Amino acid sequence: MAEPRVATIDGKLAEEFAAPSHVEELKEQMAAFAGLHGAAGRKVVLITSGGTKVPLESRTVRFLDNFSSGRRGASSAEYFLDSGYAVIFLHRHRSLYPYTHTYSGINLLDSLQLQTGGGVSHESSQVVVSQQAFPNIAKILSRYQEVKEAGLLLPIEFSTLSDYLHLLKAAAQALSTIGSKAMFYLAAAVSDFYVPSSEMPEHKIQSSNGPLQITMKMVPKILSPLVKDWAPQAFVISFKLETDSSILIEKARGALDTYRHQAVVANVLDTRRGYVVVVTPETQAELILTEDDVRKEVEIEEKIVSNLTEAHSLFITKHHG
Ligand code: PMT
């Protein structure tokens, strides 16, 4: 008799993807965070953000990566916090981060000034930040400190595909205690292919051996056990990225049919900052940044989060009356 699908994925995770050493500790942190905020009547969103690194050697010199900057996740986190959610931010190490993401292109040293106050020692001098170089810094810093002091943001880092898969599973189990108050917002760009550890060379692949041919296996679709088994009451949003806009909606609908979750945010690589479609089994909403929005520095994530938080409230009412 065939084994149930979840057992297969759990088995695969254990056998072929090394778990980060501190996964149990992080799971406890996430469970405590969810329990605390759930008890305070707050909704909790788990945001995944950034790309994943797929190693080609055990002592990794080379790896495959992807384009994702993590801006979608970082910016969305801020709007969820503004909407009263507590946020677990499961993000790729060194990808963009809430509240600092707007300053990512700035050269820090070019934006600071040294005021020496007449003395010769550097210890007695002051470093002054130019507000021109960091637009809105006072407002953003004040909001960041407010969020931090209220304990509303729990950042968790991953680096490799293996870290991501194990931490997402841990997060799903940790959030299962708050049922429909949990939202999963899966904006990370996860690799679909990997080299199993059993087939990975230990040492650096030698170029003296000639051209490289690699066969990669398919990464198990983690959305399946997440929706069916690990957090079956949660409100789950996946993302669908394509480069060919003509297949985008069909692919998003295909994902909804396969995984039976609540919505897919569909986007095309080149236009993702100004246009997305939120697809649900019954509806399809196009969200667009107008020229006026761009002038006012409105971000598309504000519209995505507004659409989804409203749908989440309806979902909770429908499930718990
Ligand atoms: O980070 P930015 O530069 O701001 O870009 C944002 C973004 C384009 C990365 C984001 O908007 C986005 O589209 N993220 C998802 C990209 C993606 O991986 O799409 P996909 O079609 O390959 O995967 C679809 C969904 O399947 C994902 O939500 C993922 O959670 C899920 N999946 C993927 C692989 C896997 N092994 N298991 C999964 O469950």
Side-chain angles (χ1 to χ4, degrees):
M1 201 173 76
E3 275 184 72
R5 191 168 162 70
V6 64
T8 310
I9 291 184
D10 273 336
K12 240 194 167 119
L13 266 185
E15 274 169 36
E16 296 188 5
F17 298 91
S21 56
H22 53 319
V23 65
E24 284 306 316
E25 191 188 315
L26 293 177
K27 186 172 163 181
E28 277 171 31
Q29 270 183 37
M30 290 189 276
F33 183 86
L36 183 82
H37 290 294
R42 227 168 259 127
K43 289 171 240 172
V44 180
V45 61
L46 181 285
I47 297 177
T48 68
S49 187
T52 52
K53 189 163 111 177
V54 178
L56 301 184
E57 299 130 339
S58 304
R59 302 188 190 201
T60 310
V61 173
R62 302 188 185 89
F63 52 84
L64 291 185
D65 209 332
N66 64 51
F67 69 95
S68 172
S69 65
R71 180 166 151 189
R72 173 84 81 225
S75 170
S76 301
E78 296 174 21
Y79 294 109
F80 276 112
L81 288 159
D82 288 348
S83 308
Y85 279 70
V87 174
I88 301 178
F89 187 61
L90 181 57
H91 64 289
R92 161 76 183 271
H93 177 61
R94 293 204 184 130
S95 62
L96 296 184
Y97 196 82
Y99 302 106
T100 59
H101 79 276
T102 40
Y103 306 125
S104 64
I106 294 175
N107 179 335
L108 186 65
L109 296 184
D110 283 344
S111 318
L112 302 176
Q113 278 165 0
L114 206 56
Q115 289 189 344
T116 48
V120 280
S121 130
H122 281 151
E123 277 82 66
S124 65
S125 57
Q126 285 202 327
V127 176
V128 178
V129 179
S130 151
Q131 294 228 30
Q132 263 173 336
F134 287 92
N136 299 322
I137 186 72
K139 188 173 151 208
I140 290 176
L141 178 62
S142 148
R143 179 65 183 135
Y144 172 69
Q145 286 176 344
E146 211 173 80
V147 161
K148 213 174 155 187
E149 273 160 31
L152 290 167
L153 177 63
L154 176 63
I156 309 266
E157 277 190 358
F158 63 84
S159 186
T160 63
L161 172 70
S162 295
D163 296 346
Y164 170 85
L165 295 172
H166 282 281
L167 288 170
L168 182 60
K169 178 180 173 186
Q173 292 174 332
L175 265 70
S176 64
T177 53
I178 60 163
S180 61
K181 274 195 192 142
M183 185 196 295
F184 288 81
Y185 184 87
L186 305 172
V190 184
S191 177
D192 285 319
F193 309 104
Y194 77 109
V195 182
S197 28
S198 55
E199 291 168 28
M200 212 185 280
E202 181 184 353
H203 293 287
K204 183 184 167 200
I205 299 167
Q206 294 299 314
S207 59
S208 53
N209 293 344
L212 180 62
Q213 283 198 344
I214 312 170
T215 305
M216 301 185 87
K217 284 197 173 169
M218 295 296 300
V219 175
K221 286 286 178 193
I222 208 83
L223 205 48
S224 179
L226 174 77
V227 174
K228 274 200 277 185
D229 303 291
W230 299 335
Q233 292 178 301
F235 187 71
V236 179
I237 314 301
S238 72
F239 279 67
K240 177 50 70 186
L241 175 75
E242 292 297 338
T243 50
D244 176 358
S245 60
S246 69
I247 58 168
L248 184 66
I249 301 301
E250 172 196 324
K251 295 288 247 179
R253 292 229 162 270
L256 283 176
D257 284 346
T258 307
Y259 303 112
R260 307 259 150 210
H261 56 304
Q262 283 65 45
V264 176
V265 179
N267 55 176
V268 171
L269 185 64
D270 297 339
T271 56
R272 69 188 191 279
R273 303 276 175 240
Y275 176 78
V276 306
V277 187
V278 180
V279 185
T280 75
E282 304 83 25
T283 61
Q284 199 165 300
E286 284 188 304
L287 307 181
I288 302 166
L289 277 193
T290 63
E291 281 179 15
D292 196 38
D293 289 330
V294 175
R295 250 194 315 277
K296 291 180 185 153
E297 298 186 344
V298 175
E299 294 176 302
I300 191 87
E301 287 77 15
E302 183 174 354
K303 298 189 183 213
I304 302 174
V305 170
S306 165
N307 178 298
L308 293 174
T309 51
E310 204 175 303
H312 189 198
S313 295
L314 290 174
F315 176 81
I316 294 172
T317 313
K318 205 166 131 191
H319 284 74
H320 298 291

